[in-house]
Amino acid sequence: SMTPFIAVYEEGGGMSEPTPYEGEAFVFVLDGRIGVEFEGGESIVLEEGDTAYIRTTSRRAYRNAGEGPARLLGVIARPAGA
């Protein structure tokens, strides 16, 4: 199934801890800069207008990596039965 969401992170804000996801995710940064931190220490920073396709079974967390609020539109696709 696919689950869309919009997340808003205030300056300095983000997820308190990485969350496990199984499946695929598409994210689009609507405003600001979003950092994506993966289990194991790898991270990327997405700028306003950037997109990312993430296929993983590991944990990840999103955070505001810039000044001012940051918003992202995401869609998570989980495997059947998950």
Side-chain angles (χ1 to χ4, degrees):
S1 68
M2 296 177 71
T3 306
F5 65 95
I6 291 180
V8 178
Y9 300 109
E10 296 301 322
E11 188 171 333
M15 298 172 71
S16 59
E17 61 184 58
T19 303
Y21 293 98
E22 183 176 341
E24 303 162 299
F26 170 82
V27 295
F28 172 65
V29 180
L30 299 168
D31 299 299
R33 300 176 74 215
I34 297 286
V36 185
E37 299 170 353
F38 299 93
E39 188 173 48
E42 183 182 353
S43 64
I44 59 173
V45 175
L46 302 171
E47 305 284 340
E48 185 174 319
D50 285 350
T51 62
Y53 171 76
I54 303 165
R55 187 172 179 187
T56 183
T57 57
S58 67
R59 296 173 179 266
R60 63 182 175 269
Y62 298 99
R63 64 177 174 78
N64 184 332
E67 297 178 4
R71 292 187 314 141
L72 72 84
L73 167 67
V75 179
I76 298 172
R78 301 187 196 290

